[in-house]
Amino acid sequence: MTQVAAPKASRRTPADKHDERRKALAESALRTLGELGYARASLREIANNSEFSHGVVHYYFNDKLELIVYCVRYYKQRCVHRYDGVVAEATSPEDLAERFGDKLVETIVEEAPMHRLWYDLRSQSMFEESLREAVTQIDQSLEDMIARVLGRYAELAGVEPAIASPVAYGMFDGIFQQALLGYLNGRDGVLEDLRARVVELMPMLLAPRA
Amino acid sequence: MTQVAAPKASRRTPADKHDERRKALAESALRTLGELGYARASLREIANNSEFSHGVVHYYFNDKLELIVYCVRYYKQRCVHRYDGVVAEATSPEDLAERFGDKLVETIVEEAPMHRLWYDLRSQSMFEESLREAVTQIDQSLEDMIARVLGRYAELAGVEPAIASPVAYGMFDGIFQQALLGYLNGRDGVLEDLRARVVELMPMLLAPRA
DNA sequence: AAAAAATCTTGACACTCGTCAAGATTCGCG
DNA sequence: CGCGAATCTTGACGAGTGTCAAGATTTTTT
C-alpha cells in the first residue's frame, strides 16, 4: 500500500519510508497500548514488542505524546468505517438492526483491547489537554458513523429518526461500553444481551408514523 | 490495628480514630485524584495536598491501590443517593424529568473532577484486575440509582418502563459522559443540551399505554 | 567503490515513583 | 508526671521512566 504516485518515477518515495515506519511503529505501539493501557505502556515496552529498539521512537516522534496521538489517529482511520457494510447491505429495518447488533458483538470479541484503549484515552483527555483535539475528532467521526447507521435504518423504515445523532451516539456508546466492561469481567451473556438490547432499542429511536 | 470496637460508651472509640484518619486521607486523595487522574496522582502529590507527609499513607494503607480502592468506595458512599431527592419530591412525570435533568447538570457543574475520576477508574479497571470488584459494585449501585429514577417516573405516569434498567443506565451514562467531556472541553451549550436531551428522552422510555 | 546521508543501537542522564525503616513526636493512661 | 503505645516525619533504596546524544550500521548517492 501507501506508495503514492509521486511525480518522480522512483519506485519508492524516499520520504514516505518515514511514514511507513511510523505506521509500523504505531501498529506495534497499538498492540502494547491495548494490552497495558495508556499509563503503563512505556516506550521501552512498546519497543520490546516490536522489531525496533527503544531509542528509535525519538527518531520518528518528538515525544511520547506525539506517538500516542499518532496511534490514536491511525486507529481511527482504520476503524471508523467498520459499520459501512451494515449500512450498505441491509435490506430492511429489521435486517439492519440485526446486522448492527451482530457487528457490535463482533467488534467486542475481535477488538476489545483496542476499544478499552479508546475509552482509556478518552478518559485521559479529560485530564490531559493535549489529547483533547484528537479525541474530539475521533468522537465526532464515531458519532457520524452512528448517524449513518440510524439514518439508513430510518430510511429503510420510511420515517425520520426520533432523536438527534449526538443522543444516539451517546446511548449506543454507553451501552457498548457497558458490554465491553462486562465482557472483560468475564460475565456470561453480555454479548447476547448487547445484541438483544440493540435490536430491541432501535425501533424506539424512530419517529412514529406520520 | 486489630483492636476491636469495644462496647465502651467512651466519647471517641480509640480504634475509630484510625477510620477517621483514613477518611480524611481519602478526602484529600480524592481532591488530588480528581485533579490529576489515577495515573499521575502520586502518593507524594496526594500527601502534599493534605496535612500529612508522604510516608503516612503506608501507615494507614498497605498499598497505593488499597488507598485508591478505599477512596473509590468512600466516594461511592457519598454520591449514590444524589438523586433520591428527585425521586422523593417529584409530583408528576414531567416534574421528575425536569428535576432529573437539572440534577444531572448540577452534578457536572459541581463535581466534574469526581466524575472524570470515576470514568478514569472504570477505564483503568479494564486493564487492572484489582480494580474490577470495586468498580463493578459502584457501577451496580449507579444502575440501581437510575432504576429508582426511571421506576418512579413510570409510576407517576401510570405505566411500565419500556426498557430494562441496565439499558437505561447505559444510555444515561453514555449521554452524561458525553456531556462531561464537552463540558471539560469548554464547549458551549452542553449543559442546556444535556437537560433538553434528558427531558426529551424520558417519555420514550415508557411503555405505551395499555 | 567511496562518500554522504539515513537509520538504528546502545548506554547514559536526570527524574519520579512506591516502598520501607529508623527515629522523632504526640497521645493516652497509670 | 512518666512511660509505653500510637502516630507521624524524614530520608533513603531500587526500580522504572522519558529523553537524548554519540557512535555503529545500513542505505543511498556520487
Side-chain angles (χ1 to χ4, degrees):
Chain A
M1 41 171 134
T2 67
Q3 55 256 50
V4 194
K8 286 194 175 184
S10 69
R11 35 193 79 189
R12 285 180 198 172
T13 330
D16 276 342
K17 188 79 175 278
H18 227 82
D19 273 356
E20 240 173 75
R21 276 292 199 245
R22 282 163 72 104
K23 282 177 190 171
L25 244 174
E27 202 87 43
S28 287
L30 279 174
R31 234 178 308 138
T32 307
L33 283 166
E35 209 54 50
L36 300 179
Y38 170 84
R40 299 149 53 100
S42 70
L43 294 182
R44 282 173 177 80
E45 192 64 28
I46 289 175
N48 278 357
N49 296 12
S50 79
E51 45 180 348
F52 310 106
S53 69
H54 73 271
V56 85
V57 177
H58 281 81
Y59 185 73
Y60 290 103
F61 299 94
N62 293 328
D63 220 330
K64 181 185 184 183
L65 213 121
E66 190 180 308
L67 167 66
I68 303 282
V69 169
Y70 185 90
C71 289
V72 176
R73 292 218 149 92
Y74 180 73
Y75 155 78
K76 154 199 174 178
Q77 173 190 343
R78 266 199 320 172
C79 283
V80 92
H81 293 289
R82 186 170 247 274
Y83 299 86
D84 287 359
V86 172
V87 170
E89 297 163 13
T91 58
S92 72
E94 297 76 18
D95 183 41
L96 189 145
E98 291 209 0
R99 284 172 187 260
F100 184 43
D102 288 342
K103 201 75 181 175
L104 285 167
V105 168
E106 183 192 294
T107 301
I108 287 189
V109 172
E110 289 183 2
E111 301 210 30
M114 282 299 138
H115 279 81
R116 70 178 169 186
L117 173 63
W118 160 244
Y119 288 122
D120 186 10
L121 288 168
R122 197 169 66 175
S123 296
Q124 290 311 310
S125 82
M126 295 191 189
F127 298 95
E128 187 117 11
E129 175 139 11
S130 16
L131 284 172
R132 286 189 192 163
E133 192 192 344
V135 164
T136 301
Q137 285 180 13
I138 299 183
D139 225 32
Q140 182 62 52
S141 67
L142 290 171
E143 181 188 315
D144 294 344
M145 184 181 75
I146 293 295
R148 287 195 296 273
V149 173
L150 181 58
R152 178 61 179 153
Y153 179 68
E155 190 182 20
L156 284 170
V159 297
E160 292 293 314
I163 59 177
S165 57
V167 185
Y169 172 52
M171 285 174 37
F172 283 115
D173 185 62
I175 293 171
F176 181 83
Q177 199 173 345
Q178 185 179 60
L180 177 63
L181 198 64
Y183 178 76
L184 293 169
N185 273 24
R187 279 225 312 264
D188 294 335
V190 282
L191 298 179
E192 296 82 350
D193 284 351
L194 172 61
R195 177 168 36 217
R197 283 168 190 175
V198 168
V199 172
E200 188 190 358
L201 201 56
M202 293 285 287
M204 300 175 52
L205 307 183
L206 294 180
R209 254 221 153 85
Chain B
M1 39 178 132
T2 67
Q3 58 255 50
V4 196
K8 284 194 176 184
S10 68
R11 35 191 82 189
R12 284 182 198 170
T13 332
D16 277 342
K17 188 78 175 280
H18 228 83
D19 274 354
E20 240 173 74
R21 277 291 200 247
R22 282 164 72 103
K23 283 178 191 171
L25 243 173
E27 202 88 43
S28 287
L30 280 173
R31 235 178 307 138
T32 307
L33 284 166
E35 208 55 48
L36 300 179
Y38 171 84
R40 298 147 55 98
S42 69
L43 294 182
R44 284 173 176 80
E45 193 63 29
I46 288 175
N48 278 356
N49 296 12
S50 78
E51 45 179 349
F52 309 106
S53 70
H54 74 270
V56 85
V57 176
H58 280 81
Y59 185 73
Y60 289 103
F61 299 93
N62 293 328
D63 221 326
K64 181 187 184 182
L65 213 120
E66 190 180 307
L67 167 67
I68 303 283
V69 170
Y70 185 90
C71 287
V72 176
R73 292 217 149 91
Y74 180 72
Y75 154 79
K76 155 200 174 178
Q77 175 189 342
R78 266 198 321 171
C79 283
V80 91
H81 293 290
R82 184 170 249 273
Y83 299 85
D84 287 0
V86 171
V87 171
E89 297 164 12
T91 58
S92 72
E94 297 77 18
D95 183 41
L96 189 146
E98 291 208 359
R99 283 173 189 260
F100 184 43
D102 288 342
K103 202 74 181 176
L104 285 167
V105 168
E106 183 193 294
T107 300
I108 286 189
V109 172
E110 289 181 2
E111 302 210 29
M114 281 300 137
H115 280 81
R116 71 177 168 186
L117 173 63
W118 159 243
Y119 288 121
D120 186 9
L121 288 168
R122 198 170 65 176
S123 296
Q124 290 311 309
S125 82
M126 295 191 187
F127 298 94
E128 186 117 12
E129 176 139 11
S130 15
L131 284 171
R132 285 187 194 166
E133 192 192 343
V135 163
T136 302
Q137 285 181 12
I138 299 183
D139 224 32
Q140 183 62 52
S141 67
L142 290 170
E143 181 188 315
D144 293 344
M145 185 182 75
I146 292 295
R148 289 196 296 273
V149 172
L150 181 58
R152 178 61 179 151
Y153 178 68
E155 190 181 21
L156 284 170
V159 296
E160 292 293 314
I163 59 178
S165 59
V167 186
Y169 172 52
M171 284 175 38
F172 282 115
D173 185 62
I175 292 171
F176 181 83
Q177 199 174 343
Q178 184 179 60
L180 177 63
L181 198 63
Y183 179 77
L184 293 169
N185 273 25
R187 278 226 311 266
D188 295 334
V190 281
L191 298 179
E192 295 82 351
D193 285 351
L194 172 60
R195 176 168 38 216
R197 283 167 190 177
V198 168
V199 171
E200 187 190 359
L201 201 55
M202 293 286 288
M204 300 174 51
L205 307 183
L206 294 180
R209 239 195 170 106

